[in-house]
Amino acid sequence: MSTSDDLIVGIDLGTTNSLVAYADERGPMVLRRNKDDSGLLPSVVSFDPSTHRMVVGDEAKLHAVERPLTTVYSIKRLMGKGFSDVTQEIRHLPYRVVRRPSREEGRDLPAVEINDRLYTPPEISAMILKTLKELAEVHFGRPVLKAVITVPAFFDDAQRQATRDAGRIAGLEVVRIINEPTAAALAYRLDQKKESTIAVYDLGGGTFDVSILRISDGVFEVLSTHGDTALGGDDFDREIIGVVRDEIEKQYHVRIESPATQQALRTLAEQLKIRLSHESEAKFEIDIGSDRRYERVIRREEFESLIRSWIDKTIDCCRAAIRDADLEIGSIDQVVMVGGSTRIPYVRRRVGEYFGRQPYTAWNPDEVVALGAAVQASILAGKTSQMLLLDVTPLSLGIETLGGAMSKLIMRNTRIPARATEMFTTFVDGQTSIRINVLQGERELAKDCRSLGVFELSGIPPMPGGIPKAEVTFLIDQNGILNVSAMEVRSQQAAGIQIIPTHGLTPVEVEAMVVESYAHAREDMTAHQMIDLRNQVTFETTKAQDMLDKVGHLLGESERRETETVIRTLRELAKTSSQPKEIQQARADFARKTVRLAEIAMTESLKTI
Ligand code: ADP
Ligand code: MG
């Protein structure tokens, strides 16, 4: 149990979304209101126009349409800025931002005006921080008084100070302000490196930045940073809206003007974009009044061409950042993905291609900054020594195979980096996808191991069972990040997943899992053998039945019946018996009694050549 004193949370105070995280010996985790909650709090504050009562987050976001003047979003853009710095910015904001005279000569500050009352940007941010603080207090059941808060690397002193002020107003002692890219690197524990150069690519809702970090002996230095404060996921939504709006206007000769319809378009466009991150096409549907309904399928390729020029711009920024850091692209050791928009497969592909290496996406990109802030918090609280940091894999890693067995590719206590490859196949005819369940643990059955993640290798052309060859590769890099990839050899279809294998386990739990595996070793072995044996029986009896269907008429009547019986008997026994010996005996009997069938089938097949 920790005391309030060493309870420090990590907070990502974002332009679009904010979240709070905490790290203990299981590693960092995002705090959520309940198990269905994403943990993401929209950075939006909405005031009731008459009472000043305010709401924060999802509820506030819902009010954006009907209360444009009293719903405040993107406040981060105003933090720590003078009024004259933001005159451009505030033209795009529906709420009122006014000049607030300051004692400092020549530095008037912006303030948000809500029903005749003025709120400073730190005051608005404090409402978001307070909501996160309360969420954490519900989680821990006691006061939370300290936080590490992240800011963009390019934030100047005034912007950092404004962030500290926001914390103080919310009742939090800001024990440290850290850079968002540094936090992202900390989440992956890249601070453990002696020397390393890292690129952090952060594509959020409304902003993009890329930073080049240098780590030496656990100390981070920002070598360069580049970006565009008006480039992000919102632009991708607008591209979709553009297409849809043009078509609706052409097709129905109506203009879309009402704010409510525009907001509906925005919401639908964002949902469609998010669906396209895991589906190859998605449908846009909207009622446009008078019983008319506009429907349109957008394919992933079309979406990719809509956002191509935006992504080109981000790559240009990467190039500029590398140049400013006086580096060559080859000297980047790691690329870390941050921001909700890096969930888009096209973005991952382009960044991977540009840097010539697979970027890190094992942590959710919209959570990774908060998780890293939590890691920093736990370092400050003196707690990191309890976290698992290893140069060997503490538990075996593998995949689930037919019948629920665990097939290990990398054994426990293997030194990292490590790599293993194995071939798998399908059993069913015409199977066009293979589900790959990545497992961790020492037990022999999948159900007794920890599932680290699941992915689907799809698009395999239909072939008879046993013919497709799926090459599964496990690669644990020097930072302990596991990449699992699968490729079907004939069709070259590939898929993969990235995972942090030790996440969520304490050293004590790891030890317990190993000890438990010893206790069950014998029964587990038998269970695994049974699965293998049953798979074998399925394979052999299916083959025999095939032959019987084809050439059975060439056997005598009684012989054919006897063969049918022996196939059925073996199948039944494999299902019901738990005695490997008994099944082996039946298998031997089956083999003897199907010799003639096999011979005839062979002769027949030779004839057809
Ligand atoms: P910020 O750092 O600006 O506060 P986030 O990192 O939370 O914002 O990113 C928000 C953006 O990510 C939004 O534009 C949202 O639509 C986008 N986004 C979230 N999930 C996905 C997804 N699965 N596919 C594509 N875009 C996504
Ligand atoms: Mg962010």
Side-chain angles (χ1 to χ4, degrees):
M1 231 27 255
S2 44
T3 64
S4 291
D5 204 46
D6 57 11
L7 181 55
I8 312 176
V9 294
I11 293 179
D12 171 8
L13 184 59
T15 312
T16 320
N17 294 303
S18 299
L19 53 171
V20 55
Y22 180 73
D24 62 14
E25 50 180 353
R26 287 192 170 79
M29 60 172 176
V30 169
L31 304 183
R32 304 169 208 275
R33 275 153 287 206
N34 53 60
K35 69 172 189 2
D36 301 320
D37 178 27
S38 70
L40 251 58
L41 180 76
S43 305
V44 184
V45 180
S46 181
F47 297 82
D48 187 305
S50 45
T51 64
H52 271 282
R53 205 184 74 85
M54 58 91 182
V55 286
V56 180
D58 287 304
E59 206 188 332
K61 201 174 165 184
L62 288 176
H63 287 305
V65 189
E66 109 253 10
R67 300 177 183 170
L69 290 175
T70 59
T71 301
V72 184
Y73 61 86
S74 286
I75 194 67
K76 188 171 178 179
R77 294 177 179 278
L78 307 182
M79 289 285 276
K81 296 243 177 132
F83 186 78
S84 53
D85 306 330
V86 297
T87 43
Q88 280 294 333
E89 198 85 62
I90 59 183
R91 283 203 202 125
H92 305 289
L93 300 174
Y95 52 89
R96 264 175 72 78
V97 179
V98 299
R99 182 192 298 267
R100 185 168 143 269
S102 148
R103 273 157 302 190
E104 258 179 80
E105 193 63 38
R107 193 170 161 80
D108 287 353
L109 298 174
V112 180
E113 189 184 83
I114 308 279
N115 315 328
D116 304 331
R117 202 136 110 198
L118 294 188
Y119 294 92
T120 65
E123 279 170 342
I124 301 282
S125 290
M127 294 167 185
I128 298 163
L129 290 175
K130 194 140 187 284
T131 309
L132 295 173
K133 175 179 188 275
E134 284 162 7
L135 190 163
E137 288 173 341
V138 170
H139 178 90
F140 293 111
R142 59 200 161 100
V144 172
L145 302 170
K146 294 181 181 182
V148 170
I149 304 182
T150 59
V151 297
F154 57 79
F155 257 29
D156 62 21
D157 285 344
Q159 290 171 299
R160 283 163 203 261
Q161 187 52 45
T163 306
R164 277 186 189 282
D165 292 345
R168 190 177 34 77
I169 300 166
L172 285 168
E173 179 193 337
V174 182
V175 289
R176 191 165 298 179
I177 295 274
I178 65 167
N179 290 325
E180 286 162 14
T182 302
L186 273 167
Y188 286 100
R189 296 315 315 260
L190 299 179
D191 56 315
Q192 302 296 110
K193 309 251 80 170
K194 256 196 96 49
E195 294 283 334
S196 183
T197 310
I198 300 154
V200 181
Y201 178 101
D202 182 348
L203 188 58
T207 61
F208 166 70
D209 51 84
V210 55
S211 307
I212 310 293
L213 306 182
R214 172 103 206 119
I215 298 171
S216 49
D217 294 320
V219 180
F220 287 89
E221 184 193 351
V222 179
L223 297 184
S224 66
T225 172
H226 255 270
D228 187 333
T229 52
L231 197 175
D234 300 344
D235 294 302
F236 311 158
D237 302 349
R238 275 194 286 272
E239 292 290 348
I240 296 171
I241 293 169
V243 169
V244 167
R245 181 199 299 265
D246 284 356
E247 289 185 5
I248 293 177
E249 293 186 349
K250 271 215 196 85
Q251 217 169 314
Y252 299 99
H253 307 288
V254 290
R255 293 198 68 77
I256 295 163
E257 268 149 2
S258 88
T261 315
Q262 293 193 17
Q263 181 58 34
L265 278 181
R266 269 200 287 277
T267 309
L268 289 170
E270 184 181 16
Q271 284 166 357
L272 179 113
K273 170 188 76 177
I274 289 173
R275 256 181 290 143
L276 286 175
S277 286
H278 31 256
E279 278 154 43
S280 56
E281 57 179 51
K283 199 185 212 168
F284 192 100
E285 287 177 86
I286 188 168
D287 264 320
I288 52 162
S290 332
D291 277 340
R292 286 174 303 185
R293 192 161 183 75
Y294 167 83
E295 287 188 4
R296 164 78 142 86
V297 170
I298 296 190
R299 292 177 51 76
R300 194 185 266 185
E301 292 76 22
E302 184 180 1
F303 173 65
E304 293 179 353
S305 69
L306 286 174
I307 64 170
R308 178 171 305 130
S309 62
W310 295 111
I311 308 308
D312 288 346
K313 277 193 188 180
T314 69
I315 300 294
D316 290 341
C317 289
C318 294
R319 202 170 287 123
I322 291 177
R323 190 193 52 222
D324 285 1
D326 258 334
L327 293 174
E328 306 278 303
I329 192 148
S331 38
I332 304 292
D333 299 310
Q334 233 67 57
V335 181
V336 176
M337 293 295 238
V338 181
S341 298
T342 64
R343 287 177 184 265
I344 299 172
Y346 178 65
V347 174
R348 295 186 174 184
R349 206 162 67 231
R350 289 290 304 276
V351 174
E353 276 165 15
Y354 174 68
F355 285 100
R357 62 176 58 248
Q358 190 157 5
Y360 277 174
T361 53
W363 290 119
N364 280 338
D366 34 18
E367 297 181 352
V368 64
V369 167
L371 295 171
V375 169
Q376 177 68 68
S378 76
I379 292 172
L380 292 170
K383 290 183 155 179
T384 36
S385 55
Q386 296 154 8
M387 279 191 229
L388 278 167
L389 287 173
L390 307 149
D391 47 13
V392 298
T393 56
L395 293 166
S396 302
L397 297 162
I399 66 171
E400 177 172 352
T401 50
L402 190 74
M406 149 74 145
S407 171
K408 293 175 185 159
L409 275 91
I410 294 181
M411 301 309 252
R412 68 182 286 258
N413 286 335
T414 302
R415 234 171 207 297
I416 62 170
R419 183 193 188 96
T421 294
E422 225 168 276
M423 284 291 187
F424 294 89
T425 188
T426 56
F427 272 80
V428 182
D429 289 343
Q431 195 177 330
T432 55
S433 74
I434 306 176
R435 183 175 170 276
I436 294 177
N437 183 9
V438 181
L439 300 171
Q440 176 177 52
E442 302 315 306
R443 305 283 302 272
E444 295 291 329
L445 300 191
K447 69 174 175 55
D448 299 317
C449 293
R450 220 161 85 95
S451 172
L452 297 178
V454 175
F455 67 98
E456 191 101 9
L457 175 60
S458 52
I460 304 172
M463 290 180 247
I467 299 298
K469 287 192 170 42
E471 185 182 66
V472 175
T473 301
F474 274 48
L475 177 72
I476 308 184
D477 73 9
Q478 66 278 19
N479 300 312
I481 312 296
L482 170 65
N483 273 290
V484 180
S485 56
M487 189 182 68
E488 200 286 309
V489 177
R490 281 161 200 254
S491 58
Q492 296 279 305
Q493 289 290 327
I497 195 172
Q498 206 182 70
I499 297 166
I500 296 172
T502 49
H503 180 58
L505 288 179
T506 67
V508 174
E509 284 166 342
V510 168
E511 192 48 37
M513 285 173 77
V514 173
V515 170
E516 192 177 293
S517 76
Y518 295 148
H520 295 279
R522 190 185 287 265
E523 62 182 272
D524 272 9
M525 227 35 229
T526 317
H528 199 144
Q529 278 169 357
M530 278 303 286
I531 290 174
D532 289 348
L533 195 53
R534 285 189 176 125
N535 288 342
Q536 201 59 39
V537 166
T538 308
F539 185 70
E540 289 166 357
T541 53
T542 308
K543 225 169 69 186
Q545 187 64 53
D546 270 1
M547 291 193 280
L548 195 62
D549 292 346
K550 281 196 196 110
V551 300
H553 59 280
L554 300 174
L555 292 171
E557 174 67 18
S558 69
E559 206 178 352
R560 203 184 73 222
R561 262 204 233 117
E562 199 190 354
T563 314
E564 265 169 13
T565 312
V566 79
I567 293 175
R568 200 168 347 108
T569 313
L570 179 58
R571 273 189 179 157
E572 287 302 313
L573 193 73
K575 270 190 212 131
T576 53
S577 167
S578 53
Q579 302 295 322
K581 258 215 189 104
E582 199 177 25
I583 301 174
Q584 286 293 21
Q585 266 163 16
R587 239 180 109 205
D589 191 36
F590 160 88
R592 250 191 331 271
K593 290 184 177 157
T594 50
V595 169
R596 250 195 47 86
L597 176 66
E599 277 170 6
I600 292 174
M602 175 69 89
T603 318
E604 286 302 298
S605 74
L606 286 177
K607 277 188 196 163
T608 61
I609 291 174

